[in-house]
Amino acid sequence: MKYLHHLIDKFILSILGRSFIILKDKDSRVDKELAYLPDYFNIAIAVEKSGAYIVLKKEESELKYCGYRSSPENIDLKIYFKDEEFAYQVLAAKEGIRQAFSEHKLMVEGDLEYAVSVIYILELVEAYIMSDDFAERVLTYNFNREMSRLQLVLSALLLFREKGEI
Amino acid sequence: METSNYFEFFSPVKINSGDQALSTLNYELEQLHVSRPLILTNQTLDELNILDLLLSSITKIEINPRQIIKTIPNQATLEIVKKASQRYRDLGCDGIIALGGEAIIDTAKGVNLIISEKVDDLSKLTGIETAHGDMQPFIVIPTTSGTGSEAALSAVISDQKSKNNLEFISSKLMPDLAVIDPKMTFTLPPRLTASTGVDALVHAVEAYTGLQTNPLSDAYAIAALKLIGKNLEPLVNDVNNKNYRVAMNNAALMAGIAFSNSHAGIIHAIGDACEKISEVSHGDALAVLLPHGMFYNLKFEYCRNSYQDILLALEDTEKFVNTKAEDRALMAVDSVVGILSELRFLAGIPVRLEEIGVKRSDFDRIVDKAMHNSALLNSAGQVKREDIKSILEAAF
């Protein structure tokens, strides 16, 4: 079961990271929140500290997806879960990321204000991908998608991954 | 709205509180194997002879004047942390004593991080649980009651070059010992006593109504609220009364333990933003925002239920019983308003943001800052920009 959770965590996290990029251009709320982050800013997110991180780069107001990296360097903000099972609760839509943060399940290395910004975006991205019930429960308001779930997931899967140094 | 079924609670600080608490220092220093502590304080506490009180309590070890830094500013900065850390290394110190309020305690936490993590650049350790080394023995002797810093796992240190406040949250930041002696807080005037008391009240209210509320921090928050309800107004009226002073010192400590474990919320987030953007006093901003933030939270059933308990803690049982169940949450807000009105009468605490220097033109920046305060993630509901704006308008 743990291995299954591990695979689900990795897959969903990758979809979340890719969706992040797609929604920057398609969702005004995501775009606005991303504007809060400084330019030339690198974000790494993982299910646990020692695991592989998905890396996102904000460069000249554009957002790029760099895929999974082990022990990435030159990162401005690292977010990871205290334990892989905690990550599973969030990535399998059993718990909102905001709730996980409140429960001390999320660890942050870097500026907390920027971490809050990324958490807001992850919450929106999750609401896009997951069921309407989950979106309503986590966001507590009627969430309207500015692009369809299917369109988002397909675009995310086909997204080009940046290669090379971070 | 989601509520929690999991919690973490951490409170390892030994607390020596009450009359003669200072006289335990010799024993405690020996227990912690500290023979050469670095003492951090400020000029005012020296002039008020508070530092002398501390030094006269330490009789078993010799304190070299260079072990005392009296120049800690009102805001902990990277510069002073670096300077104090260098002094710690130069003198081969083996422990830290912070004598003072939040800025001095945060500076001491920064020094402890630099020394224990063996780093030169503290900014690399910003975030949550980034410290992993063995910390230096650390004693806190608070001289203001309210911030709860003596039991808090956070520190805010300003980087004056980038004009950023760096936030550190780690269980490693907690001191080994907090010595809470009423002698050290007698010099607080009524206005500051009122303001720091309100700070403790906000901590207790928000700890009890946040998403991470849990049975252990609830116990601390309610105990703190009971003490605040009974002792804050009498203390402001009679600042030299030892019993009231001890009670409020303990209330602030317990509120600090509660909010350290279950976080603050919307009131704290907006108060912090007002402090950073409009450069107003943190305590004043909280005093103004508290009833408005509580009123905003009344729309959540979960908060209304918690507010009933707050009413019982702040008022006598008779008032609680005589209030209809559906009115109790609102009466809790009314009770807080009553405390604040009395404090305004006794000590002149502010009731409007305009009064303390917040400008309407600052609102957009305050909203932006508050929206990105991690305390907001713990507040009931999904706080939106409009919600913060409406609280600011109501409090203006």
Side-chain angles (χ1 to χ4, degrees):
Chain A
M1 188 62 99
K2 262 206 146 180
Y3 186 67
L4 181 65
H5 286 182
H6 172 76
L7 289 179
I8 293 171
D9 284 347
K10 277 200 86 168
F11 177 70
I12 304 276
L13 189 60
S14 157
I15 293 287
L16 280 178
R18 288 162 178 266
S19 302
F20 219 101
I21 312 291
I22 308 289
L23 287 172
K24 188 210 169 288
D25 297 325
K26 301 284 182 186
D27 187 288
S28 52
R29 294 159 295 196
V30 172
D31 188 37
K32 193 172 173 191
E33 199 51 60
L34 267 172
Y36 194 79
L37 302 178
D39 222 355
Y40 295 96
F41 191 77
N42 298 333
I43 307 161
I45 308 170
V47 294
E48 61 179 344
K49 187 177 184 179
S50 56
Y53 289 76
I54 56 159
V55 176
L56 304 161
K57 272 204 299 197
K58 185 179 173 188
E59 225 171 61
E60 291 169 2
S61 300
E62 288 298 314
L63 198 63
K64 292 169 182 167
Y65 177 71
C66 305
Y68 272 105
R69 305 286 173 104
S70 295
S71 315
E73 290 183 353
N74 301 323
I75 298 296
D76 300 295
L77 177 69
K78 263 187 191 176
I79 298 178
Y80 52 88
F81 291 84
K82 199 173 263 181
D83 185 83
E84 200 171 62
E85 273 306 303
F86 288 156
Y88 176 74
Q89 296 296 315
V90 171
L91 298 173
K94 293 178 187 301
E95 180 179 51
I97 191 162
R98 181 182 297 241
Q99 185 68 29
F101 181 84
S102 287
E103 291 173 348
H104 310 268
K105 292 174 179 172
L106 272 183
M107 301 288 104
V108 173
E109 291 178 19
D111 192 308
L112 277 181
E113 283 190 14
Y114 298 144
V116 171
S117 209
V118 171
I119 286 170
Y120 284 148
I121 299 170
L122 284 172
E123 199 169 54
L124 279 167
V125 177
E126 257 204 307
Y128 261 98
I129 296 173
M130 305 301 175
S131 70
D132 292 348
D133 279 353
F134 176 79
E136 201 178 321
R137 180 161 55 88
V138 167
L139 295 178
T140 66
Y141 58 82
N142 285 333
F143 172 68
N144 70 308
R145 291 182 170 82
E146 293 179 17
M147 80 183 288
S148 78
R149 183 187 299 140
L150 183 64
Q151 209 181 351
L152 173 64
V153 173
L154 283 176
S155 311
L157 289 172
L158 297 171
L159 185 81
F160 171 76
R161 181 168 66 86
E162 289 283 319
K163 294 193 176 81
E165 297 241 324
I166 298 162
Chain B
M1 192 176 74
E2 290 185 299
T3 48
S4 186
N5 59 10
Y6 168 88
F7 72 89
E8 293 184 4
F9 186 89
F10 186 71
S11 184
V13 186
K14 178 172 183 184
I15 295 151
N16 294 357
S17 172
D19 273 348
Q20 314 301 326
L22 262 188
S23 57
T24 63
L25 266 178
N26 286 314
Y27 170 79
E28 298 294 355
L29 285 166
E30 195 183 334
Q31 288 293 302
L32 290 165
H33 306 292
V34 177
S35 57
R36 195 174 294 166
L38 182 72
I39 300 174
L40 305 182
T41 188
N42 66 24
Q43 203 65 45
T44 311
L45 291 167
D46 185 22
E47 284 161 12
L48 292 169
N49 297 325
I50 302 277
L51 176 60
D52 288 342
L53 280 175
L54 167 65
L55 295 176
S56 62
S57 304
I58 303 175
T59 54
K60 299 250 169 95
I61 55 172
E62 206 168 302
I63 305 284
N64 173 326
R66 281 191 32 88
Q67 282 170 246
I68 306 168
I69 300 182
K70 301 179 200 169
T71 51
I72 308 298
N74 290 332
Q75 161 85 55
T77 63
L78 280 183
E79 196 187 348
I80 190 71
V81 169
K82 206 167 176 184
K83 193 175 144 192
S85 306
Q86 194 53 49
R87 181 80 65 89
Y88 189 99
R89 287 179 181 131
D90 291 348
L91 299 179
C93 293
D94 54 11
I96 305 164
I97 299 178
L99 171 71
E102 193 169 26
I104 292 169
I105 298 171
D106 281 359
T107 303
K109 287 174 178 174
V111 173
N112 206 355
L113 272 179
I114 284 201
I115 300 295
S116 307
E117 292 297 306
K118 300 180 178 69
V119 293
D120 287 322
D121 184 3
L122 192 60
S123 62
K124 285 183 182 152
L125 294 173
T126 53
I128 301 174
E129 298 297 355
T130 56
H132 306 289
D134 291 330
M135 306 305 279
Q136 300 297 295
F138 179 24
I139 298 172
V140 170
I141 306 167
T143 56
T144 57
S145 57
T147 64
S149 293
E150 63 273 20
L153 39 71
S154 58
V156 178
I157 295 169
S158 140
D159 178 356
Q160 293 190 307
K161 273 186 197 156
S162 67
K163 294 193 172 163
N164 269 340
N165 282 329
L166 310 177
E167 213 174 330
F168 305 85
I169 298 178
S170 171
S171 49
K172 301 264 186 184
L173 290 178
M174 287 199 172
D176 298 288
L177 172 70
V179 178
I180 301 166
D181 193 312
K183 282 197 289 290
M184 310 308 261
T185 49
F186 276 149
T187 50
L188 273 187
R191 176 73 167 73
L192 205 51
T193 300
S195 185
T196 51
V198 172
D199 198 2
L201 177 59
V202 173
H203 289 160
V205 167
E206 296 219 288
Y208 195 70
T209 50
L211 290 185
Q212 183 52 16
T213 176
N214 63 73
L216 294 184
S217 67
D218 284 356
Y220 282 95
I222 287 291
L225 286 166
K226 282 182 180 167
L227 287 174
I228 293 167
K230 281 197 184 78
N231 297 285
L232 179 55
E233 289 169 44
L235 175 63
V236 174
N237 208 18
D238 177 10
V239 285
N240 291 318
N241 184 301
K242 195 169 63 182
N243 293 334
Y244 298 145
R245 183 64 77 184
V246 169
M248 276 309 297
N249 288 348
N250 290 335
L253 169 75
M254 286 190 282
I257 293 173
F259 99 97
S260 253
N261 283 283
S262 61
H263 303 300
I266 188 168
I267 302 166
H268 217 89
I270 306 178
D272 267 3
C274 287
E275 184 189 6
K276 283 171 191 158
I277 302 295
S278 304
E279 295 179 354
V280 298
S281 139
H282 183 71
D284 284 351
L286 292 183
V288 175
L289 293 163
L290 174 59
H292 300 284
M294 285 183 79
F295 195 77
Y296 164 81
N297 277 337
L298 279 176
K299 67 182 178 183
F300 304 107
E301 188 190 355
Y302 149 79
C303 287
R304 285 198 299 277
N305 292 338
S306 304
Y307 283 1
Q308 295 194 32
D309 299 337
I310 290 177
L311 175 68
L312 184 59
L314 290 176
E315 300 283 354
D316 52 36
T317 318
E318 202 182 330
K319 181 159 186 178
F320 179 83
V321 173
N322 291 336
T323 306
K324 283 189 210 160
E326 62 268 30
D327 295 337
R328 284 178 186 153
L330 187 59
M331 284 307 287
V333 183
D334 186 61
S335 175
V336 166
V337 170
I339 293 173
L340 295 172
S341 304
E342 190 63 25
L343 294 180
R344 180 170 178 80
F345 173 72
L346 292 170
I349 63 159
V351 290
R352 288 185 303 119
L353 289 175
E354 192 179 20
E355 207 181 314
I356 58 174
V358 175
K359 297 184 188 74
R360 197 175 247 118
S361 55
D362 293 340
F363 278 10
D364 281 345
R365 286 165 63 220
I366 292 174
V367 171
D368 223 24
K369 203 75 178 166
M371 280 301 293
H372 293 91
N373 187 313
S374 59
L376 211 65
L377 296 178
N378 185 52
S379 206
Q382 271 263 357
V383 180
K384 294 196 254 329
R385 295 180 68 88
E386 309 85 87
D387 300 324
I388 297 176
K389 192 95 181 261
S390 71
I391 291 174
L392 287 170
E393 286 290 352
F396 192 68

